[in-house]
């Protein structure tokens, strides 16, 4: 029987350790967010307050940066991210059907993660290989 992956455990002490390395360095917000995400697989909402305190920013400024960048996540992501292209070429050549089938197969909607944390489903504006449309990237 395959082991079921569960939601990652949140280590608040580790967040404090990571944040402490950047005391007063406002410029380091994005590298710090990337470091936290690399370690936890996402940026836990509980990390926003320590980050803002140490860097001397308002929590809303930290949240604003997180929500601006699509590659920063505030929820745990699956081990594999499934990206379905919604660009024009993919749309014309059946991308909508691909997305529908992937949703049915995984049992999740766009932006959601399967309960076993194996897959996260995302849509993107363009993957960049329009001649091969429709496109899907896994991993």
């Amino acid at each position: 029987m395959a082991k079921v992956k569960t939601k990652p455990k949140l280590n608040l002490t580790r967040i404090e350790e990571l944040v402490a390395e950047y005391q007063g360095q406002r410029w380091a917000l994005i590298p710090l967010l990337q470091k936290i995400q690399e370690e936890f697989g996402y940026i836990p909402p509980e990390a926003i307050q320590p980050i803002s305190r140490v860097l001397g920013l308002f929590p809303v400024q930290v949240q604003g940066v997180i929500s601006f960048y699509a590659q920063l996540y505030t929820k745990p992501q699956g081990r594999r991210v499934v990206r379905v292209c919604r660009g024009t070429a993919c749309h014309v050549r059946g991308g909508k059907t691909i997305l529908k089938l992937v949703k049915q197969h995984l049992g999740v909607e766009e932006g959601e993660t399967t309960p076993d944390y194996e897959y996260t489903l995302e849509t993107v504006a363009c993957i960049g290989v329009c001649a091969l449309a429709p496109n899907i990237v896994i991993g």
Side-chain angles (χ1 to χ4, degrees):
M1 179 183 275
K3 183 179 178 187
V4 175
K5 189 175 173 188
T6 58
K7 183 176 179 179
K9 294 205 178 196
L10 185 57
N11 183 342
L12 294 175
T13 304
R14 182 62 183 141
I15 290 174
E16 291 288 348
E17 291 170 359
L18 292 170
V19 170
E21 296 174 29
Y22 295 91
Q23 182 69 44
Q25 300 177 38
R26 287 182 172 199
W27 64 266
L29 176 57
I30 292 175
L32 175 56
L33 292 171
Q34 290 171 326
K35 193 172 195 175
I36 290 171
Q37 181 166 289
E38 188 175 304
E39 180 138 340
F40 292 94
Y42 72 113
I43 301 165
E46 296 86 352
I48 293 172
Q49 190 62 42
I51 291 169
S52 64
R53 178 177 29 81
V54 169
L55 299 184
L57 297 167
F58 291 108
V60 71
Q61 291 173 300
V62 176
Q63 184 61 47
V65 170
I66 294 169
S67 64
F68 180 79
Y69 291 102
Q71 71 271 23
L72 296 176
Y73 304 106
T74 55
K75 295 187 295 188
Q77 299 296 294
R79 198 167 69 91
R80 294 182 181 94
V81 178
V82 178
R83 291 181 179 92
V84 179
C85 183
R86 298 193 96 173
T88 304
C90 289
H91 177 75
V92 169
R93 298 180 89 187
K96 194 172 183 179
T97 302
I98 299 290
L99 179 59
K100 181 181 175 183
L101 292 171
V102 171
K103 284 180 180 182
Q104 287 175 351
H105 182 74
L106 295 178
V108 296
E109 293 295 319
E110 298 169 47
E112 293 182 347
T113 300
T114 57
D116 62 359
Y117 290 92
E118 188 64 28
Y119 297 98
T120 296
L121 176 60
E122 294 181 348
T123 57
V124 293
C126 184
I127 292 175
V129 285
C130 302
L132 303 175
N135 294 295
I136 182 172
V137 175
I138 302 172

